[in-house]
């Protein structure tokens, strides 16, 4: 490894642009992940270029995120939003433009960290073309996701093939929880190298706002019981389960109950359709007077919402990791979550919150009530959650682990011929 390339990595996140607004359409956890990982690695002295797809002519080609970290937008297909299930056909163009960028800038990336399956395809081609080393994070596994949805998209078989190939050929796969690793082994392949490095959160921002101050800012009375959801409007997120669970709560009818469902949407798009569906259920159940849907919540205002809440609910049918759970915990707010995927890793039942079977309205209702009806216990759960996030899920810690992994892989690159000659 020579000195100039020593600490350089390209993160490839085709549909997860780190420099756009988070919390609507298909912009969620992956965008947050690549941005924070990129910035934190930059602070550790890595030269980080995050490659994503340009979706509007108004977008700059290059956005500097910090001194060592920038977003690079490449053209691949029409310069507009394209649903992720339709992106694969544009990946050869993405690859060509990546190679062109390398040439024009006199850079050859020895290491790429790819995110989500289309990006993994790009990484695998780079390996074939120029021997690039590849680290991959799935963010979502087709093999798990397709078990939880009714309409399997046409792209499914190609996705499953690509996801198997990258597991077997990448230098390293980063699973974000032991549960995800187990799914890879049982559902995808027994071959390949997997490390577990979790997602992280900003422990300085989340947790910086006092509960009282947060409530004052949002105009919520101290005695109100606040139930919070944060996330995209997507049927997989299980918002319907939450709404029905709150409808069955013992506190239903109590003047002091408040349900906040935060997340952005665009009318006519899939998230707009899901929001309309949820609003119809709220209307049918007569829950309008105590339910608010404030729309997309910026990362700046989110710490205030989490701090003001009594409980944060993550009712997903399937969740590879679930950043919202650790953001709430970092803010000292207990979490009631589905007993699935990464949520089984982040939420410790009876210690930092409670787990309930996905889509089980009665179980969610009982879990929410247990926390709301016991404020002292609520406080303890919140403190334990904060502690768990501080020790396990800070971005700095995550980036340090990733940096060590990258270094190890880059060093192996040089050692290989020597090993082969033994
Ligand atoms: N988010 C946001 N504003 C919103 C809704 C969500 O900033 O209105 C953020 C949220 O804080 C989290 C991310 O979007 O960082 C969602 O990540 P998660 O892993 O929970 O779910 P995903 O969107 O990846 O399915």
């Amino acid at each position: 490894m020579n000195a100039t390339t020593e600490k350089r990595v390209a993160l490839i996140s085709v549909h997860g642009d780190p420099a756009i607004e988070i919390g609507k359409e298909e912009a969620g956890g992956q965008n947050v992940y690549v941005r924070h990982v990129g910035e934190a690695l930059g602070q550790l002295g890595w030269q980080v270029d995050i490659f994503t797809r340009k979706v509007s002519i108004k977008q700059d080609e290059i956005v500097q995120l910090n001194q060592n970290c920038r977003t690079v937008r490449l053209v691949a297909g029409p310069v507009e939003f394209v649903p992720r299930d339709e992106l694969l056909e544009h990946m050869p163009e993405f690859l060509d433009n990546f190679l062109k960028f390398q040439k024009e800038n006199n850079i050859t990336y020895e290491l790429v960290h790819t995110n989500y399956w289309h990006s993994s395809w790009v990484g695998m081609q780079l390996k074939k073309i120029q021997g690039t080393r590849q680290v991959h994070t799935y963010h979502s596994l087709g093999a798990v996701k397709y078990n939880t949805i009714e309409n399997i998209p046409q792209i499914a078989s190609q996705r499953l093939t690509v996801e198997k190939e990258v597991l077997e050929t990448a230098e390293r796969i980063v699973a974000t929880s032991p549960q995800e690793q187990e799914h890879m082994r049982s559902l995808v392949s027994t071959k390949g190298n997997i490390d577990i490095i979790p997602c992280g959160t900003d422990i300085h921002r989340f947790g910086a706002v006092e509960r009282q101050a947060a409530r004052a800012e949002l105009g919520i009375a101290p005695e109100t019981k606040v139930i919070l959801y944060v996330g995209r409007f997507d049927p997989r997120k299980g918002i319907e389960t939450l709404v029905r669970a709150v409808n069955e709560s013992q506190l239903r009818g109590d003047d002091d109950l408040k349900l906040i469902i935060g997340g952005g949407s665009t009318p006519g798009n899939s998230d707009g359709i899901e929001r309309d569906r949820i609003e119809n259920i709220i209307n049918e159940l007569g829950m309008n007077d105590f339910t608010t849907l404030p729309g997309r919540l910026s990362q700046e205002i989110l710490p205030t919402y989490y701090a003001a809440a009594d409980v944060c609910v993550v009712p997903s049918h399937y969740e590879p990791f679930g950043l919202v759970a650790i953001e709430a915990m970092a803010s000292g707010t207990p979490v009631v979550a589905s007993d699935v995927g990464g949520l089984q890793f982040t939420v410790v039942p009876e210690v930092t919150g409670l787990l309930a079977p996905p889509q089980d309205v009665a179980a969610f209702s009982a879990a929410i009530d247990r926390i709301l009806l016991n404020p002292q216990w609520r406080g303890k759960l919140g403190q334990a959650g904060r502690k768990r996030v501080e020790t396990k899920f800070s971005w700095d810690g995550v980036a340090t682990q990733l940096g060590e992994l990258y270094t190890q892989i880059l060093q192996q690159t040089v050692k290989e011929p020597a090993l082969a000659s033994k």
Side-chain angles (χ1 to χ4, degrees):
M1 189 164 56
N2 67 46
T4 50
T5 55
E6 195 168 34
K7 288 181 94 179
R8 182 189 295 283
V9 62
L11 301 188
I12 302 184
S13 175
V14 173
H15 80 274
D17 186 329
I20 57 159
E21 287 186 341
I22 311 298
K24 64 181 268 198
E25 266 169 3
E26 294 191 357
Q30 184 178 321
N31 308 58
V32 174
Y33 177 88
V34 288
R35 176 162 192 151
H36 284 277
V37 161
E39 287 182 352
L41 284 165
Q43 270 156 10
L44 292 174
W46 286 82
Q47 296 298 317
V48 186
D49 288 337
I50 309 176
F51 289 87
T52 190
R53 199 178 76 86
K54 189 166 174 167
V55 299
S56 156
I57 49 163
K58 289 190 200 140
Q59 287 179 324
D60 292 329
E61 213 161 289
I62 294 187
V63 181
Q64 201 71 37
L65 297 176
N66 70 20
Q67 205 193 340
N68 293 331
C69 172
R70 59 187 177 165
T71 295
V72 181
R73 295 190 174 116
L74 302 178
V75 170
V79 182
E80 62 189 28
F81 173 74
V82 173
R84 46 181 116 163
D85 281 347
E86 293 163 29
L87 279 175
L88 184 64
E89 61 180 293
H90 303 301
M91 290 306 94
E93 191 182 350
F94 191 96
L95 176 66
D96 283 350
N97 283 329
F98 183 95
L99 294 168
K100 210 163 124 200
F101 181 90
Q102 282 196 139
K103 209 166 171 193
E104 283 168 6
N105 291 276
N106 203 17
I107 299 171
T108 303
Y109 296 94
E110 287 182 29
L111 177 67
V112 291
H113 181 166
T114 53
N115 294 270
Y116 203 64
W117 71 274
H118 326 101
S119 310
S120 81
W121 182 88
V122 177
M124 288 191 286
Q125 309 318 306
L126 288 169
K127 178 190 282 290
K128 287 172 198 159
I129 296 167
Q130 59 184 33
T132 302
R133 310 284 135 172
Q134 184 176 18
V135 172
H136 180 66
T137 303
Y138 283 96
H139 295 277
S140 164
L141 275 173
V144 180
K145 181 173 174 163
Y146 297 144
N147 280 334
T148 68
I149 57 173
E150 277 166 24
N151 301 321
I152 310 286
Q154 267 191 332
I155 197 75
S157 66
Q158 277 163 291
R159 173 172 176 178
L160 294 174
T161 305
V162 170
E163 289 190 339
K164 183 166 187 286
E165 191 183 336
V166 69
L167 174 50
E168 294 179 347
T169 61
E171 271 59 33
R172 205 68 53 91
I173 299 292
V174 172
T176 55
S177 68
Q179 287 73 12
E180 195 188 12
Q181 180 184 33
E182 165 50 30
H183 282 142
M184 289 172 200
R185 285 295 180 233
S186 60
L187 301 171
V188 184
S189 177
T190 51
K191 295 190 198 127
N193 304 313
I194 306 173
D195 275 12
I196 299 172
I197 302 178
C199 293
T201 197
D202 187 337
I203 57 169
H204 308 295
R205 224 153 34 80
F206 293 112
V209 188
E210 290 295 335
R211 178 181 162 87
Q212 256 183 331
R215 287 193 167 214
E217 190 177 336
L218 299 177
I220 299 172
E223 62 280 7
T224 303
K225 305 279 189 206
V226 179
I227 304 163
L228 176 68
Y229 167 86
V230 175
R232 293 175 298 114
F233 279 92
D234 179 329
R236 163 173 86 79
K237 290 290 185 181
I239 307 174
E240 176 174 355
T241 308
L242 166 63
V243 171
R244 295 195 185 280
V246 174
N247 186 48
E248 287 188 9
S249 163
Q250 287 179 42
L251 294 157
R252 177 79 163 88
D254 192 325
D255 281 347
D256 290 331
L257 191 63
K258 192 170 182 64
L259 170 62
I260 302 175
I261 300 176
S265 59
T266 307
N269 282 8
S270 63
D271 51 12
I273 293 165
E274 176 64 0
R275 180 183 158 126
D276 289 347
R277 195 180 74 81
I278 296 295
E279 283 196 278
N280 283 338
I281 298 171
I282 293 167
N283 287 336
E284 271 167 31
L285 298 175
M287 294 170 61
N288 310 57
D289 52 339
F290 67 93
T291 305
T292 50
L293 288 85
R296 190 185 85 83
L297 301 172
S298 70
Q299 289 278 306
E300 287 66 43
I301 192 71
L302 265 171
T304 306
Y305 274 85
Y306 287 123
D310 287 290
V311 61
C312 178
V313 183
V314 187
S316 315
H317 300 174
Y318 156 54
E319 197 59 78
F321 186 81
L323 284 177
V324 164
I326 57 170
E327 290 168 3
M329 282 159 59
S331 310
T333 300
V335 174
V336 170
S338 293
D339 193 3
V340 294
L343 298 167
Q344 295 172 325
F345 175 48
T346 50
V347 180
V348 184
E350 309 288 335
V351 178
T352 71
L354 292 168
L355 293 175
Q359 306 191 60
D360 187 333
V361 170
F364 268 90
S365 193
I368 292 167
D369 281 353
R370 267 186 73 194
I371 292 176
L372 291 185
L373 291 168
N374 192 342
Q376 245 185 348
W377 187 50
R378 191 210 85 85
K380 272 196 186 159
L381 294 172
Q383 278 172 9
R386 169 75 199 175
K387 211 158 175 199
R388 181 163 173 77
V389 175
E390 277 173 5
T391 48
K392 273 192 132 39
F393 305 118
S394 77
W395 283 126
D396 297 341
V398 169
T400 302
Q401 290 179 64
L402 285 172
E404 284 166 6
L405 171 64
Y406 296 166
T407 303
Q408 196 192 342
I409 289 172
L410 284 168
Q411 282 172 351
Q412 276 170 5
T413 312
V414 178
K415 280 188 201 143
E416 254 172 19
L419 285 175
S421 65
K422 275 188 185 170

